[in-house]
Amino acid sequence: MVKVREIENPDFIEAIARGVDVLKAFGPGKPRMTLSEVAAASSLARPTARRILITFTELGYVRADDGGFTLTPRVLELGMAYIASSNIWELSQPHLQDLSERVGESCSIAQLDGSDIVYVARVAVPKLVAFSVSIGTRFPAVATSLGKVLLAALTADELDAVLATESRSVARAVWSPDRAEIDETLREVRERGWAMTDQQLAPSIRSVAAPVRGADGTVVAAVNVNTHAFETSLETLVDEYLPQLLRTATDIGEDWARWDSLPTKAIRP
C-alpha cells in the first residue's frame, strides 16, 4: 500500500485517500470494528478516523451500533460503478452463460490490478473448490491462468513494475516461482496464445484462460474455464474446453470493440 505521506503530487487530496483507507480496513474476518481498530488498521489518529467514520455514516456507507462500525451494502455501489461504466458484465454475461452451459463449469473474466487479478464478471456452477470466488475477488496473478494471460501481454518494463508490487490478496498460492520460472511461463503463454494452471493456486483448482482483445488488438481482460482437478483431466480441459473458450474470448472481444466504437453520446443499452 502506498503511504499517504510518500505521495508528493500537489493535486493529491489526502482526505479522500484517508477515507479510502478506512473503507479498506474492513475485510475478511473484520466485518465489525471498533474506532480503535479502524484507526490502527488505517494508520490514522483516532480523531481523524472518527470524523471519517461519521462522514461515511451520514452518507450511508457505514453503520454505527453499540460502539462498533460495519459497512453497509451501499459500499457495493462504488465497485459496481466501475462495472457499469465499462459495461463488462452486460457485454460478457451472455457469452459466459453460454460457455458455462456448454462445458458445465464456472467461467470468469478478470483484469489486472497491481500484481493481482480481480474478477469483474462470473457465471458459477455449484462445485466444491478451495476458494469462494465472486466479483471483486482477487488472487495473485502469477498463480492463475487468468493472471498468466494478462501478465504475458505486458511490456518488459510493465511486467517489472507489476511483479514489484505487493499482492493485496488474502490467498496464498501453492506455486511460488522465481523470476526465471515466471519469464519462461509467460514466454510459453505468448507463443500459444492461452494459459493453464494445474493446482498452482490451490489444490484441486485447474483452469485454462484466453485473452480478450479490444479493437486495436490489445489485451483488455482474460476469460477462463475453472474446473475441479479430480473431475476434469488436463486432456479434457485442453482438447474439449479450450476451443470453446477461445471462440468465446473472440466473441466477447468483438462485442467489446463494437461498444468502444459507439459515439460517446450515443444511447447505450
Side-chain angles (χ1 to χ4, degrees):
M1 180 186 299
V2 177
K3 296 180 179 179
V4 170
R5 64 175 179 272
E6 296 176 348
I7 299 176
E8 299 178 354
N9 190 322
D11 294 323
F12 181 79
I13 302 176
E14 187 172 328
I16 294 178
R18 289 176 171 176
V20 171
D21 286 341
V22 165
L23 290 180
K24 289 163 61 177
F26 296 86
K30 299 178 180 179
R32 184 178 184 278
M33 302 178 72
T34 64
L35 172 58
S36 296
E37 290 171 335
V38 171
S42 55
S43 301
L44 296 173
R46 279 174 54 95
T48 301
R50 176 178 175 276
R51 289 196 299 272
I52 292 173
L53 286 168
I54 290 175
T55 300
F56 281 137
T57 300
E58 293 296 328
L59 292 174
Y61 293 112
V62 169
R63 180 182 299 111
D65 62 277
D66 297 328
F69 298 89
T70 57
L71 299 182
T72 72
R74 178 168 289 188
V75 172
L76 294 174
E77 294 176 356
L78 302 176
M80 292 306 295
Y82 166 73
I83 295 174
S85 65
S86 59
N87 210 39
I88 293 172
W89 173 249
E90 188 170 331
L91 289 174
S92 61
Q93 194 274 340
H95 298 293
L96 288 182
Q97 188 69 50
D98 181 60
L99 177 62
S100 178
E101 290 175 356
R102 282 188 277 118
V103 301
E105 304 286 355
S106 298
C107 303
S108 308
I109 289 182
Q111 292 182 304
L112 200 61
D113 182 25
S115 60
D116 298 328
I117 60 164
V118 178
Y119 286 78
V120 296
R122 180 171 170 82
V123 172
V125 298
K127 294 277 184 176
L128 183 61
V129 294
F131 293 119
S132 175
V133 178
S134 60
I135 293 177
T137 296
R138 61 173 58 235
F139 290 130
V142 293
T144 68
S145 59
L146 292 163
K148 291 176 183 178
V149 166
L150 296 170
L151 293 174
L154 300 178
T155 66
D157 289 342
E158 290 171 337
L159 181 61
D160 288 340
V162 165
L163 295 180
T165 304
E166 184 179 355
S167 172
R168 292 165 52 200
S169 171
V170 296
R172 291 295 174 261
V174 171
W175 188 47
S176 299
D178 59 27
R179 182 57 189 267
E181 291 177 291
I182 294 174
D183 288 340
E184 176 61 21
T185 297
L186 298 184
R187 183 190 62 78
E188 294 176 354
V189 172
R190 295 186 193 100
E191 288 180 353
R192 63 191 183 189
W194 52 272
M196 181 174 64
T197 54
D198 184 15
Q199 305 183 76
Q200 292 175 324
L201 177 62
S204 80
I205 295 179
R206 178 177 286 165
S207 68
V208 63
V212 175
R213 299 182 182 275
D216 60 357
T218 59
V219 175
V220 294
V223 58
N224 83 340
V225 174
N226 189 77
T227 69
H228 196 292
F230 302 117
E231 295 180 355
T232 305
S233 67
L234 291 174
E235 290 74 17
T236 296
L237 195 64
V238 175
D239 296 340
E240 297 182 23
Y241 295 172
L242 177 59
Q244 300 185 68
L245 172 67
L246 292 172
R247 288 197 298 272
T248 297
T250 298
D251 291 342
I252 294 174
E254 290 175 350
D255 280 358
W256 202 308
R258 282 192 290 269
W259 171 266
D260 282 343
S261 69
L262 292 177
T264 303
K265 294 183 179 180
I267 298 176
R268 296 176 174 178

